[in-house]
Amino acid sequence: MEASINSIFEPEPQRWGLRGDPMLWQELKKEFSGHQTFNDEQEFERALYIKAANSIGEPFGRGKIIYIPRFDPGHGMSRGKIDCDFWIDEGFPLLIARFKSIIEESARRIKD
C-alpha cells in the first residue's frame, strides 16, 4: 500500500520551539511535496529524519539548538535557530501520526 504525504503538513502546529522551526517545517513540506509515496510508516519516518538532518546539516539530538543562517530573518533572540527537542517531542511525532492516519484511512477504504 502506498500513501501520499502532501497533506500531512497542514495545519501547521500552533506552537513552535524556536523561530527557525516554522522555516524548517516549510522546507520539509516543500521537500516532500510532489509525487513521493511511502509504503509504510517506518519508510516515511526514516525519510523524514534523513531529509530533516540533511536540511540542517547535522543529526537531531536531545538538548540541541542549531543555528541555521538561511532561517535567520534578522530579528529576535531565537532567530534562525532550530529546537531539536521540539522536533523530537512534537514536530516529528505529529507528522508521523498524520502519515499513519493516511495509511489507516487508505486501508479502511480498500477493505470497505
Side-chain angles (χ1 to χ4, degrees):
M1 176 182 358
E2 294 184 346
S4 173
I5 55 131
N6 292 336
S7 64
I8 67 168
F9 288 92
E10 299 297 333
E12 291 185 353
Q14 293 181 357
R15 185 184 77 75
W16 301 99
L18 297 171
R19 292 181 188 213
D21 293 326
M23 293 171 189
L24 178 57
W25 184 276
Q26 289 302 315
E27 199 167 274
L28 289 172
K29 179 179 178 180
K30 184 177 179 183
E31 181 72 27
F32 278 99
S33 68
H35 302 290
Q36 281 187 309
T37 56
F38 300 93
N39 294 313
D40 58 39
E41 183 181 338
Q42 291 76 26
E43 185 180 351
F44 168 70
E45 185 173 351
R46 276 191 303 275
L48 178 61
Y49 276 87
I50 289 168
K51 287 179 187 290
N54 288 342
S55 181
I56 66 168
E58 62 183 275
F60 285 75
R62 283 242 171 253
K64 287 172 73 175
I65 293 175
I66 302 168
Y67 175 71
I68 311 296
R70 72 182 178 282
F71 294 169
D72 187 345
H75 57 277
M77 284 181 43
S78 65
R79 65 182 183 258
K81 294 180 182 173
I82 300 300
D83 179 358
C84 289
D85 287 347
F86 164 80
W87 286 96
I88 292 167
D89 294 336
E90 297 178 44
F92 293 142
L94 175 62
L95 292 169
I96 293 163
R98 289 177 180 177
F99 178 83
K100 187 177 178 182
S101 292
I102 290 171
I103 291 282
E104 290 170 352
E105 181 61 31
S106 294
R108 275 194 295 275
R109 277 192 244 133
I110 290 170
K111 201 175 186 180
D112 293 341

